[in-house]
Structure formats: C-alpha cells, structure tokens
Amino acid sequence: MSCLASTTKVSKWKLAYSSEICLVEDDGRLPSTIADLEMLKPLFSGLLCPMCYQPSLCLKSNRNKNSGLAVSLFVKCINCGNEPSSTMTSNKCVGANSVVEVNRGAVPAVSATRIGYSGLCNFSEMMNIPEIHHKTFAAHTKTVCDKTNVFAIDILDRSVQKVKEAHPEQFTDIKDIHVSFDGSWHKRGHTSKSGLGLVIERKTGLIVDFEILTNYCPKCATTGKKLEEQNILRYERWLAEHKQKGECSANYDGPSGGMEKEAALRMWSRSILKNKLRYVSMISDGDAKTISEIHNLDPYPGIKVQKHECVNHVGKRLGTALRNLITTKSKCKPKITLGGKGQGKLRPEVITILQKYYTRAIRSNTTIEGMRTAIAAIVDHGSSTDKHPKHHNCPKEVDSWCYGWNKQAEKTLPGETCSVGQWENFIPWIQ
C-alpha cells in the first residue's frame, strides 16, 4: 500500500453542509487517498506498448527513488523492456524541487492530531506504507513552524488594526482597551514544560497578542546533556554558542506554575511598543499573583491596570469551596456528613444548581448590596419551611418567583419545604 498524490488545495466538497450539496464543480482532478498499488496493475495489463504494440505493460515501483510517503512508479513492457512513463505518487511543492507535498502535509497533520513523529511511524507500519526519515520530518517541521509564525504575525497585525478601528472615539495614536487574559498549559498538574498566554480584546473578541513559553529544548536535553556528563567546559562553550545562534527553543527558566504570570508581564511590557495599545483593564480568573506583578511592573506610568473578576470563575470557586467543605467536615471528629444522598444533602447536582443561581444573582444586579441580598435569598429560600419561613431576602413583588410572596404559587407548592430541585419552578431568572 502507498499514499497517492496529495493535491495542493483542500477538497472543498468536505466543507459542504450535506451530501446533497456540492460546493465545487468536477474539475477532472483525482482526490488524494491511500491505495493498494497492486490493485492498479490490471489497469495497465491490457494497454499496448508503444514500441512492440503488445498488451504487456506492467506497473512497477523503484524503491531507490521513493521519497518518504511518496512512491516512485513506472510502467514497463515485460515483452520488449521499454519503459514508456514514470511518475511519483505526489507532486513537488511549488518553488521547492526536492520537497514532496505529501511529506510536507504530514507534519501539520500529525501536529493537529497530536500523535507526533512516533505516531506517524506507527501509522505507516500498520498501514504498510513507507516512513518519513526523522531528519526529513525535522526539516519539514522547522519550515512549517517558520511559515506558521509568519502567518500568525500577519493575522495579529490585522486583528490589532480591527481593534483600533473599533475605538474611533479615541483620537490618540495609543489606544486604551479592555482585555481578557488567561493562560493555558500543555498538560495539567503544573508539570507542563510548555505554556501559553493570550490577550483578547473585549469589544471585538480578537486576539491582539500571545506568548508561548517553554523550559524545554530538545538539543539541550540530548546533545547538551551528553556533553555536560563528558566535559563541563566543552558543554559551557557549546551552550553559549547554542544560545547565541538562537537555536535554543527554551525561552523560560522557572516552574510551570509561573508561566501565566511571566507571559502577562511580557505582553503588558511590550503592548505600546509592539501594538500601540494600553491594556488598562483585564478580566481573568481569581489568580491575584498576575495582577500584583503587573502593578509592580507599572507598564503605564500614571495608569493603574484594573482587574475585573470573571463571573464564571467566581461561580466555579463556589462549587470548589462547597466540595472542599464536604471533604473537610467528613474528616472532623465527630464526623459531619454534608454530602451523600437524601433531602438537604449537598449532592453534586445540588452544587451545580447553586453555582448556576449564584452566578445569575451576580449578573442580575448592578450594586454590591443587591448582589448580597440575591445571594442570601438563595440559601434562605432553599432552607425555608412553613413553620420557619425565611423569605425576607426574596423579591416581594406580587409576581415574585418566591412562593412565599406569590399567592398563586402557594396553591401549587407540593409539601412544606422548597427543596433545591424545586427552585427552577419558582426562579425564572436563573434559567
């Protein structure tokens, strides 16, 4: 089996909304696929040789001319030995005579699927198709990475221009914008070797800057480690030359837990010079280290960067606190059981509903006092009974969601206690 020719354009029919809709007309080009080349031999067995005019043509492969996933094929007459034609199963890239399209396309494919080079080799072995040499794969990886960086810079420049156009009320060259900032890691547990920080403009939702941090370099981990064990002086000379040439991919020296903070400091410090923008306020999670470090950096003298809490993260912290409370109380002596099954227990679905009510209570009020009252109403209303009513914080309107203040709701209320599961019938503003 082998991989047939890879086309230069993505097949537009893949983007059709249904099988009945075809976005492009048939241009006569064959699609890319994986095929058993032995199945193609009957196509040539009945053709006449242009030299001896006998139906003796046969499809063969020249392994010496194979290039990674691309296979060299030629047609040979078994009668007279003539070879009328030959081809490769993939075209060469435009402007690069030695680069095969299918090999170049395999690099972003394995990156998008996160299987890496070893995964590609396993796939090739299981499918009985040729493998790409590791040096060829590394060369393609560098080229794709360089082109991706150029593309990313172009997209960021366009995004920054769109953001500036979205603030026509500011007549200065440097625009003050409000952004959302967050970080992410390659894996959980604060053990990742790579991290990412993003700055997103709130009005347009466009990314205006990003920073990728990594404390890992493949060459330092292999060649550098061997030299360090053999000769420390030789290693130091190699390391200095390695960093001077810009070959070291590690751009951060520290724990993975500090990558988010470091990314923010780098982007805030270069915002004016790079994009002529000031990130005067930021929405982020509850991490206070980042904003404190930005205040210490003071990137905009005379302008203090404001931090706004993300409501979703606030609700998430409530759920985390309740789950931690259940665990803490279960370890006390005497043991206090808050979780489990039954009426009045903090079951997982109850905690989810409380998070939902909590975040909506914050969003539905514009004052701190209003938020406090709405949040207190959640607890009081849920634990209220006919004997011990607790509706003093609930809305007192005639059409209130609270059954204690709504006469019509009293007739339909089942039982004496309004459990958490029944709140959805009486609190329409949380839907």
Side-chain angles (χ1 to χ4, degrees), residues 150-199:
V150 174
F151 177 75
I153 293 173
D154 180 60
I155 292 296
L156 281 179
D157 291 341
R158 296 183 185 183
S159 298
V160 170
Q161 185 62 31
K162 290 291 184 181
V163 168
K164 292 180 179 179
E165 294 175 358
H167 294 81
E169 71 281 358
Q170 301 185 32
F171 301 101
T172 58
D173 292 338
I174 301 176
K175 308 288 186 181
D176 293 341
I177 63 174
H178 306 279
V179 301
S180 174
F181 169 77
D182 200 4
S184 181
W185 289 265
H186 186 255
K187 61 180 181 179
R188 295 174 179 267
H190 295 291
T191 59
S192 176
K193 297 180 180 179
S194 301
L196 169 69
L198 286 172
V199 171

Side-chain angles (χ1 to χ4, degrees), residues 139-295:
H140 285 306
T141 301
K142 185 178 184 307
T143 303
V144 171
C145 182
D146 293 341
K147 291 186 177 182
T148 303
N149 290 336
V150 174
F151 177 75
I153 293 173
D154 180 60
I155 292 296
L156 281 179
D157 291 341
R158 296 183 185 183
S159 298
V160 170
Q161 185 62 31
K162 290 291 184 181
V163 168
K164 292 180 179 179
E165 294 175 358
H167 294 81
E169 71 281 358
Q170 301 185 32
F171 301 101
T172 58
D173 292 338
I174 301 176
K175 308 288 186 181
D176 293 341
I177 63 174
H178 306 279
V179 301
S180 174
F181 169 77
D182 200 4
S184 181
W185 289 265
H186 186 255
K187 61 180 181 179
R188 295 174 179 267
H190 295 291
T191 59
S192 176
K193 297 180 180 179
S194 301
L196 169 69
L198 286 172
V199 171
I200 304 175
E201 203 271 334
R202 287 164 53 182
K203 187 175 182 180
T204 61
L206 296 175
I207 298 175
V208 294
D209 200 3
F210 70 92
E211 181 69 21
I212 300 175
L213 298 174
T214 178
N215 55 15
Y216 176 76
C217 176
K219 288 188 177 180
C220 292
T222 55
T223 305
K225 187 176 181 180
K226 291 181 180 179
L227 290 176
E228 186 178 12
E229 295 174 352
Q230 296 173 359
N231 191 321
I232 187 64
L233 295 178
R234 184 181 176 186
Y235 165 73
E236 292 178 353
R237 290 194 299 268
W238 174 87
L239 183 62
E241 183 180 359
H242 176 59
K243 292 185 176 182
Q244 185 178 5
K245 291 181 178 180
E247 298 176 350
C248 186
S249 59
N251 59 356
Y252 171 74
D253 185 15
S256 59
M259 288 182 177
E260 182 176 354
K261 176 189 66 176
E262 180 65 22
L265 293 177
R266 294 186 186 186
M267 288 186 287
W268 255 262
S269 62
R270 71 191 182 203
S271 64
I272 297 179
L273 183 62
K274 181 180 180 181
N275 297 326
K276 291 188 177 181
L277 295 173
R278 277 193 293 257
Y279 312 143
V280 295
S281 71
M282 59 180 287
I283 297 178
S284 64
D285 51 22
D287 187 7
K289 296 181 181 179
T290 301
I291 190 63
S292 62
E293 290 294 333
I294 292 177
H295 289 164

Side-chain angles (χ1 to χ4, degrees), residues 101-126:
E101 287 182 357
V102 66
N103 296 334
R104 175 63 56 82
V107 172
V110 299
S111 299
T113 54
R114 300 182 181 183
I115 63 174
Y117 176 72
S118 60
L120 179 61
C121 292
N122 292 336
F123 176 80
S124 299
E125 181 179 0
M126 297 300 294

